[in-house]
Amino acid sequence: MTGRRLREAINGMFMQLEKLIKCDTSQAACPGGICPVTVEVMNHVNAVGEFGSSWLSAEVTRIIAMLESHLEAKSKHYSNPALGSVFLINNGRYIEKKAKQYQLDKILGNHWIRQRTAKVRENCEHYRRSSWEEVLGFLKLGMPNVEEAESMKKKLNLFNLRFKEIWMDQSAWFIHDEELKEEIIIPLGKIMSHTYGLFIWGFKSMLGRDADECIKYSVLDIEDLLKNLFSWRDE
């Protein structure tokens, strides 16, 4: 195939990818999972990755940017912002991993790859804030007095309720990359168990034995439950 005909074929492929992205109404196989269009686009990008040129670099950058904008818009369709973040995490990590696998750094540069990694990290932080910031807010300690003891009872009840709700929801979600799943869960478990442990210690100090009837979870329970987040499996 001549250079002109090759370029025409590649141009045709990019036009088809644009159409695929613009017309996409597909659903991921699992809640917040990898969009089929993400897979399709990255597979086609692989096919042209070996033909390095400034023109091709610009076209690949453009089509992936178009895909990422589409994914951002699609993430807003989730009623739960945390699940929207998980959707972006899964698709962002897929793009990042495939770009490395296909050695797209040769045509797009290392900086482009690092930007994809940073975006995944940013969405991980969005997930943490939208999921757990409210829950952690229930565990703030005040001055030890009768009013605070009653307030802590209410806070603990709210914590128990919201923690269970969020955990049950997110047990049906999935992070496709096991390494990234651990990077999300391990720091979250440390923050949650530390903050919860301090709260329970202060709660018991104020209420003594009366505190036990309000305590639904031990610190170990919290740690074990968080380890089982994103446990959905596509059998």
Side-chain angles (χ1 to χ4, degrees), residues 20-229:
L20 180 69
I21 293 169
K22 289 176 180 177
C23 298
D24 173 41
T25 57
S26 63
Q27 297 294 318
C30 65
I34 297 170
C35 178
V37 171
T38 301
V39 177
E40 188 77 11
V41 168
M42 294 310 294
N43 282 344
H44 280 81
V45 166
N46 175 43
V48 300
E50 62 188 270
F51 304 107
S53 70
S54 57
W55 162 76
L56 186 58
S57 172
E59 284 298 292
V60 171
T61 300
R62 183 181 64 82
I63 205 69
I64 295 180
M66 186 177 178
L67 170 64
E68 290 174 329
S69 294
H70 174 66
L71 294 171
E72 286 278 355
K74 206 165 183 176
S75 73
K76 303 295 190 295
H77 295 165
Y78 288 100
S79 58
N80 187 330
L83 183 53
S85 293
V86 168
F87 174 76
L88 291 175
I89 288 167
N90 278 321
N91 283 273
R93 175 49 68 93
Y94 186 88
I95 291 169
E96 176 196 353
K97 288 183 74 173
K98 288 300 179 181
K100 290 176 180 177
Q101 179 184 335
Y102 301 154
Q103 297 182 315
L104 293 184
D105 57 314
K106 291 181 179 179
I107 62 172
L108 302 179
N110 288 321
H111 178 67
W112 185 92
I113 300 289
R114 288 195 296 270
Q115 284 180 320
R116 309 281 78 67
T117 304
K119 189 64 177 177
V120 170
R121 296 287 181 271
E122 184 181 325
N123 284 313
C124 288
E125 181 58 23
H126 288 166
Y127 154 77
R128 189 194 68 78
R129 288 202 305 268
S130 57
S131 289
W132 299 105
E133 206 163 74
E134 176 199 11
V135 177
L136 287 166
F138 295 136
L139 301 177
K140 291 179 180 177
L141 292 168
M143 295 297 292
N145 54 50
V146 175
E147 287 89 3
E148 179 59 18
E150 288 303 311
S151 175
M152 288 181 76
K153 282 185 181 180
K154 292 178 182 177
K155 289 177 182 177
L156 187 56
N157 285 334
L158 287 169
F159 172 87
N160 291 339
L161 179 65
R162 287 296 292 136
F163 181 87
K164 182 179 180 181
E165 288 175 347
I166 293 171
W167 182 84
M168 288 184 69
D169 278 347
Q170 296 189 10
S171 293
W173 300 357
F174 191 50
I175 297 291
H176 285 259
D177 185 271
E178 284 296 319
E179 182 182 347
L180 184 56
K181 177 180 172 180
E182 289 187 6
E183 288 178 17
I184 294 171
I185 288 177
I186 291 173
L188 174 62
K190 288 180 180 178
I191 293 169
M192 189 68 72
S193 60
H194 175 73
T195 307
Y196 182 74
L198 287 176
F199 183 92
I200 293 301
W201 178 84
F203 189 59
K204 286 182 174 180
S205 297
M206 273 195 259
L207 275 77
R209 291 182 180 178
D210 292 340
D212 292 339
E213 65 184 45
C214 301
I215 298 172
K216 183 175 180 179
Y217 303 108
S218 69
V219 173
L220 286 177
D221 289 335
I222 296 293
E223 291 175 351
D224 287 342
L225 286 166
L226 290 175
K227 287 176 185 176
N228 289 314
L229 287 178

